[in-house]
Amino acid sequence: MLLSLFSILWGILICLILSSPIGYYPLFISMFIVSLAVYIVAKKFINPSKRLIALNVIYFFAAYILCSYFLFKPSTNNYFMFSNISKEKKAVIFYCEGEMEKYTPYYSGYLTKDIPFYLKPIHSYQLKKIYSKIELNTKNQTLNTIARDVKSSILSYKPYYFYIAYSAYTPTINSALSSAINDGCSEIIIINYSSNNDLLNDLSKVVDFKKFEENGVKISVTKSIQLKGEFQEYMANRVINMPSKFDGIVILTKNDDVGTAVKSIINETYKKDDMILVTDNIEDGVKNFIDKGANNILYVCLDESSSGLNSEYFYPRTLLKYTDKANIVGIKDWGYDRALVKATIKSFLEVEK
């Protein structure tokens, strides 16, 4: 019985040490060391059989997995007061990527959403190490600035309730919807300020749209801002207006149609189709031009709405081994520009009408 308790405790502590913020280390590591010392002393009075040892190994992993489940399970605490619905009230939700600013196990759950529960603590530990290097993730700052300008433009047009929702931070889409419903809004437009061209389908996995419809609430989702000509021209002009000229340009995106449109605009200036490559793999794209003898390479991230983990950590780390072979610079994200606000408003108006 004593051995079983130790096995369960160690499974929980290992999960917590891997997943918890660094500030909790003294507590959990101290508990682990003390429990280990107590076990070593108590071991003199325990003579477990092989069957009992095997059983306690199972207890250890069961405790580890259950602890991981409760740490990373999605929140379901969203309350919808449909009795307050008014046909006169409408809402806009500015939906964007977003990322946690500092490491916390709960919000790291989104970044590890496709990972099995038993591996989430390990991946969270890797994220924790990254955050210890970057200290503060500033991705949300630019997104908040864009959202502020979009809000100002929309509210000067009509009296909408306005909310923001992040894909990987708080408030989540369900939290924003809950706020809109509790404020009595019967019509909600979700602005898709992301590179996700299938957002409605993805949101349907976490939002019960049928429940809203049954309660008289209409929800619409705009097309991705990427699909607007203003966005494509803005990103292309950032390349064209750069003071340096390049012999290799990598357009990084998962949306080939958008990448091709941006490439076509750039080609009007560069006139060389073979020096622009659209790909979703930054390393393959850069290596392709290095193999061709390119000395100055530019990569353009079309899918990064703001400067986050990909643009500030993963991409530079991936390209580090090629920096002695070519000069590599990047347009790492969309940044802030009034053209982006204009494209967002046009996407909104297409649905609002």
Side-chain angles (χ1 to χ4, degrees), residues 273-293:
D273 185 77
D274 61 346
M275 65 171 293
I276 305 174
L277 176 66
V278 178
T279 179
D280 63 354
N281 188 306
I282 190 170
E283 184 171 10
D284 287 350
V286 168
K287 190 173 182 299
N288 172 75
F289 286 118
I290 288 177
D291 291 343
K292 292 180 178 179

Side-chain angles (χ1 to χ4, degrees), residues 119-137:
L119 292 178
K120 283 183 182 290
I122 297 171
H123 283 262
S124 291
Y125 178 74
Q126 294 170 343
L127 279 173
K128 185 165 34 177
K129 289 174 64 178
I130 293 171
Y131 270 87
S132 68
K133 295 175 182 177
I134 66 172
E135 295 184 356
L136 182 68
N137 188 349

Side-chain angles (χ1 to χ4, degrees), residues 223-289:
K223 294 179 180 179
S224 167
I225 183 181
Q226 272 195 335
L227 300 178
K228 304 307 297 179
E230 289 82 358
F231 170 86
Q232 295 163 9
E233 290 176 5
Y234 161 70
M235 293 302 295
N237 286 332
R238 289 183 68 184
V239 176
I240 295 168
N241 294 331
M242 290 189 74
S244 301
K245 293 300 179 183
F246 303 94
D247 45 13
I249 299 175
V250 179
I251 298 179
L252 189 64
T253 179
K254 291 183 175 65
N255 301 317
D256 288 342
D257 291 343
V258 174
T260 301
V262 172
K263 176 182 176 179
S264 297
I265 299 171
I266 297 172
N267 260 335
E268 293 176 8
T269 297
Y270 272 82
K271 307 295 185 183
K272 292 183 179 180
D273 185 77
D274 61 346
M275 65 171 293
I276 305 174
L277 176 66
V278 178
T279 179
D280 63 354
N281 188 306
I282 190 170
E283 184 171 10
D284 287 350
V286 168
K287 190 173 182 299
N288 172 75
F289 286 118

Side-chain angles (χ1 to χ4, degrees), residues 57-112:
V57 169
I58 295 174
Y59 289 157
F60 172 88
F61 283 108
Y64 168 89
I65 292 171
L66 280 173
C67 182
S68 176
Y69 173 76
F70 285 110
L71 275 176
F72 297 104
K73 71 174 182 177
S75 173
T76 56
N77 297 323
N78 295 293
Y79 303 98
F80 303 99
M81 298 173 59
F82 290 105
S83 58
N84 295 334
I85 295 300
S86 168
K87 291 184 179 179
E88 305 301 319
K89 295 182 178 180
K90 299 181 180 181
V92 174
I93 296 177
F94 183 87
Y95 182 87
C96 52
E97 294 171 329
E99 290 175 354
M100 56 184 175
E101 295 169 349
K102 291 186 177 182
Y103 172 82
T104 57
Y106 179 81
Y107 293 113
S108 70
Y110 177 85
L111 298 175
T112 59

Side-chain angles (χ1 to χ4, degrees), residues 5-71:
L5 291 175
F6 278 118
S7 298
I8 293 170
L9 176 62
W10 291 336
I12 294 172
L13 286 175
I14 291 297
C15 179
L16 291 175
I17 290 170
L18 288 172
S19 308
S20 65
I22 294 175
Y24 288 87
Y25 276 18
L27 173 63
F28 294 137
I29 292 176
S30 296
M31 291 175 65
F32 187 83
I33 292 173
V34 170
S35 66
L36 190 61
V38 172
Y39 171 73
I40 291 172
V41 173
K43 190 178 179 183
K44 298 177 182 178
F45 308 100
I46 303 174
N47 187 25
S49 63
K50 291 183 178 179
R51 179 179 176 278
L52 187 60
I53 292 174
L55 191 61
N56 280 282
V57 169
I58 295 174
Y59 289 157
F60 172 88
F61 283 108
Y64 168 89
I65 292 171
L66 280 173
C67 182
S68 176
Y69 173 76
F70 285 110
L71 275 176

Side-chain angles (χ1 to χ4, degrees), residues 299-315:
Y299 64 91
V300 185
C301 298
L302 293 188
D303 294 351
E304 296 295 318
S305 60
S306 184
S307 180
L309 292 185
N310 276 336
S311 58
E312 294 301 323
Y313 181 83
F314 290 111
Y315 292 156

Side-chain angles (χ1 to χ4, degrees), residues 183-195:
D183 284 335
C185 300
S186 62
E187 185 175 339
I188 302 170
I189 297 176
I190 300 174
I191 293 177
N192 181 6
Y193 193 81
S194 76
S195 60

